């Protein structure tokens, strides 16, 4: 590690100068020899570096999403030229060139901050060995050697011997407890950052080898931090823990406000955006307009969550525009109002008619007598439908007074025995 750090000695002076400037500010508040002054100086160095790396982080996000989009095409090339590695590499490079992507772009933030990390490691090793380095002179070196963070010297390591730790004014127990706690927090923050990326911000509609690689890194990186952490000074652990926490917060912000299309984070984001737009009737933020504009531009290539978003706007009488704004759809809103009024009126009329036509509940004897009456009525109807000349002669003879109803009921029936309706074949 010392050999690698010496390769970045050219940046040691700028890093040490930045730390000294922050130390001058925090030293005036907490005291120049305190761990707060030196620890916050390292934290401020991390924040300054990460702010400068934000453009690279944005480029990393775009490159990662572009690589996710290209994964199906890359898989086809691998299967097509699986026996010709040279042709496979040529086709891959051609695909990268046509799409304007670079696989190394996703590693830019890590590569960019590596020189600062090793330069800080070089500075802290100089403090541990008692040698001046960069702009840190003898007085600053003595102040840094007195600084303790929760009882652990700034330049102490987990594997340092008891004599080395005693020379820095601490105990082995304090150093190992503090360093172990920092290593655990450092590994846990790295694991959580990678896990939320895999579970929330990955397109679940496409299963590619890229997802398997990310899942593997989710477990590999924390183990790497745990292994290398025992060789890092406390100051470097403070640096790396701070940068991991920054990365975790930055990733959470991106997932919440600019999720990957097709991911669970996009579904949650579009659900929030739907509620916001339907309530206010417009899109207010520039980032929201950018996302709506991208969804409109996709047309039929929209995923399930994007189609659901557009349909929800249409149901609310709103229409997404090509510039990312949302306007009121007057015709659709009027049509929906008319349909709603007609549906309400029709439903009210149907309900009223149903109430008017609702039959009364009858007892069993009433239902049986009603069934017999219906049979008699149907028989009378059949008789009335017969032509006059087809009726029997007895039915055409004049009836006696007072026997009309009974004579009609008995017409066409046999005398004596059980009465039955006339067979249709005899009509």
């Amino acid at each position: 590690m010392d050999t690698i750090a010496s390769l970045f000695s050219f940046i040691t002076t700028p890093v040490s100068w930045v730390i000294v400037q922050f130390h001058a500010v925090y030293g005036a508040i907490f005291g120049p020899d305190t761990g707060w002054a030196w620890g916050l100086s390292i934290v401020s160095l991390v924040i300054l570096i990460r702010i400068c790396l934000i453009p690279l982080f944005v480029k990393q996000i775009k490159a990662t999403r572009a690589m996710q989009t290209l994964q199906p095409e890359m898989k086809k090339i691998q299967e097509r030229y699986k026996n010709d590695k040279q042709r496979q590499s040529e086709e891959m490079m051609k695909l990268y060139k046509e799409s304007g992507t670079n696989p190394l772009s996703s590693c830019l933030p890590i590569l960019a901050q590596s020189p600062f990390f090793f330069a800080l490691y070089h500075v802290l090793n100089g403090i541990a060995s008692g040698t001046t380095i960069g702009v840190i002179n003898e007085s600053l070196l003595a102040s840094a050697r007195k600084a303790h963070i929760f009882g652990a010297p700034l330049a102490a390591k987990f594997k340092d011997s008891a004599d080395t730790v005693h020379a820095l004014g601490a105990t082995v127990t304090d150093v190992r407890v503090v360093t172990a706690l920092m290593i655990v927090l450092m590994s846990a923050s790295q694991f959580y950052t990678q896990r939320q990326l895999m579970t929330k911000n990955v397109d679940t509609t496409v299963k590619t080898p890229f997802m398997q690689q990310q899942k593997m890194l989710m477990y590999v990186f924390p183990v790497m931090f745990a292994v290398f952490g025992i060789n890092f000074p406390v100051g470097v652990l403070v640096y790396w823990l701070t940068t991991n926490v920054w990365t975790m917060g930055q990733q959470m912000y991106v997932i919440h406000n600019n999720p990957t299309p097709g991911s669970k984070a996009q579904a949650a984001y579009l659900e929030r955006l739907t509620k916001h737009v339907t309530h206010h009737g417009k899109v207010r933020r520039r980032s929201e307009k950018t996302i709506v504009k991208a969804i409109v531009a996709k047309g039929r290539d929209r995923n399930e969550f994007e189609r659901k978003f557009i349909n929800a706007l249409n149901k609310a009488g709103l229409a997404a525009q090509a510039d990312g704004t949302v306007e009121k759809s007057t015709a659709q809103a009027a049509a929906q109002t008319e349909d709603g009024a007609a549906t309400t009126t029709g439903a009210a009329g149907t309900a009223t008619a149903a109430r008017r036509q609702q039959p009364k509940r009858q007892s069993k004897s009433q239902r049986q007598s009603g069934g017999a009456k219906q049979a008699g009525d149907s028989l009378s109807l059949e008789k009335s439908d017969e032509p006059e000349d087809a009726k029997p002669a007895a039915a055409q003879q004049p009836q006696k007074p007072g026997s009309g109803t009974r004579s009609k009921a008995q017409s066409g029936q046999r005398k004596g025995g059980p009465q039955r309706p006339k067979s249709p074949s005899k009509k």
Side-chain angles (χ1 to χ4, degrees):
M1 184 66 70
D2 294 338
T3 304
I4 298 175
S6 62
L7 297 176
F8 296 93
S9 59
F10 64 92
I11 203 173
T12 300
T13 300
V15 169
S16 61
W17 182 85
V18 172
I19 292 177
V20 168
Q21 301 307 312
F22 281 122
H23 175 262
V25 175
Y26 293 119
I29 301 174
F30 301 102
D33 299 337
T34 59
W36 285 104
W38 287 100
L40 290 176
S41 299
I42 297 173
V43 172
S44 300
L45 172 67
V46 175
I47 295 175
L48 179 62
I49 293 173
R50 296 307 300 265
I51 291 175
C52 295
L53 293 179
I54 286 178
L56 292 179
F57 180 75
V58 174
K59 192 172 182 179
Q60 178 193 22
I61 293 175
K62 293 180 179 179
T64 303
R65 292 183 180 178
M67 291 296 295
Q68 290 175 348
T69 305
L70 292 178
Q71 285 302 313
E73 298 296 329
M74 294 170 61
K75 189 175 182 179
K76 291 179 182 178
I77 293 175
Q78 291 174 352
E79 293 178 353
R80 185 180 303 173
Y81 304 105
K82 59 182 178 180
N83 296 326
D84 191 350
K85 298 298 183 181
Q86 182 177 358
R87 182 66 183 276
Q88 186 181 118
S89 301
E90 293 175 355
E91 293 296 327
M92 287 289 189
M93 296 303 296
K94 183 179 179 181
L95 180 63
Y96 294 149
K97 186 177 181 180
E98 291 176 352
S99 60
T101 58
N102 188 353
L104 297 179
S105 298
S106 58
C107 304
L108 283 177
I110 296 177
L111 296 176
Q113 66 178 325
S114 296
F116 300 96
F117 170 78
F118 287 112
L120 178 64
Y121 183 87
H122 197 46
V123 170
L124 293 175
N125 265 352
I127 294 174
S129 60
T131 57
T132 59
I133 187 170
V135 298
I136 298 180
N137 52 29
E138 293 290 342
S139 61
L140 291 173
L141 179 62
S143 175
R145 288 177 66 86
K146 295 178 183 178
H148 289 66
I149 297 178
F150 300 111
L154 197 68
K157 303 176 186 177
F158 182 87
K159 296 176 66 176
D160 281 347
S161 62
D163 295 336
T164 304
V165 173
H166 288 314
L168 295 172
T171 61
V172 175
T173 303
D174 291 339
V175 171
R176 292 187 176 178
V177 169
V178 171
T179 53
L181 182 61
M182 286 187 175
I183 290 171
V184 170
L185 292 176
M186 187 172 61
S187 301
S189 59
Q190 178 66 33
F191 177 80
Y192 180 78
T193 301
Q194 196 69 22
R195 179 175 174 78
Q196 72 173 350
L197 179 66
M198 288 297 303
T199 57
K200 296 182 179 180
N201 207 38
V202 174
D203 187 357
T204 56
T205 61
V206 180
K207 303 296 183 181
T208 62
F210 179 78
M211 296 177 61
Q212 298 297 327
Q213 295 173 5
Q214 293 294 319
K215 187 176 181 180
M216 181 181 64
L217 292 176
M218 180 174 65
Y219 297 98
V220 170
F221 275 136
V223 174
M224 290 176 59
F225 281 119
V227 172
F228 290 115
I230 60 177
N231 296 312
F232 290 161
V234 173
V236 174
L237 293 178
V238 171
Y239 174 92
W240 207 251
L241 177 60
T242 305
T243 194
N244 278 4
V245 172
W246 176 281
T247 303
M248 181 174 63
Q250 191 171 248
Q251 188 70 50
M252 291 175 65
Y253 176 82
V254 171
I255 291 175
H256 187 270
N257 294 282
N258 192 18
T260 300
S263 63
K264 294 181 180 179
Q266 189 196 30
Y269 176 83
L270 291 180
E271 185 177 354
R272 295 193 305 268
L273 184 59
T274 302
K275 294 180 180 178
H276 170 77
V277 174
T278 53
H279 182 266
H280 296 281
K282 61 180 180 179
V283 181
R284 294 186 295 181
R285 297 179 183 176
R286 182 180 299 178
S287 59
E288 294 175 349
K289 290 182 179 180
T290 303
I291 291 178
V292 174
K293 182 179 179 181
I295 292 175
V296 173
K298 286 184 177 181
R300 295 184 177 180
D301 295 333
R302 302 185 188 111
N303 58 45
E304 177 186 357
F305 309 129
E306 295 166 346
R307 288 193 298 269
K308 186 177 179 181
F309 170 71
I310 295 296
N311 292 336
L313 293 183
N314 293 335
K315 289 180 181 179
L318 301 172
Q321 305 300 314
D323 59 351
T325 59
V326 173
E327 295 182 358
K328 187 74 174 178
S329 180
T330 309
Q332 187 172 5
Q336 288 180 354
T337 304
E338 293 176 0
D339 293 343
T343 303
T344 304
T345 305
T350 304
T352 304
R355 286 195 297 270
R356 288 199 300 265
Q357 297 176 3
Q358 182 70 22
K360 294 182 179 180
R361 185 175 183 85
Q362 298 178 348
S363 63
K364 184 176 181 181
S365 59
Q366 289 175 339
R367 289 195 298 270
Q368 291 177 352
S369 61
K373 184 178 181 181
Q374 289 178 1
D377 292 342
S378 62
L379 179 59
S380 301
L381 289 175
E382 290 179 358
K383 291 297 182 179
S384 63
D385 291 340
E386 295 179 358
E388 291 293 331
D389 54 356
K391 294 181 179 180
Q396 294 180 3
Q397 294 177 359
Q399 300 176 357
K400 295 180 181 180
S403 61
T405 306
R406 184 175 181 180
S407 301
K408 290 180 181 179
Q410 293 177 353
S411 63
Q413 297 180 358
R414 292 184 294 179
K415 295 180 181 180
Q419 303 296 325
R420 63 182 181 183
K422 187 177 181 179
S423 175
S425 60
K426 295 181 180 180
K427 290 184 181 179

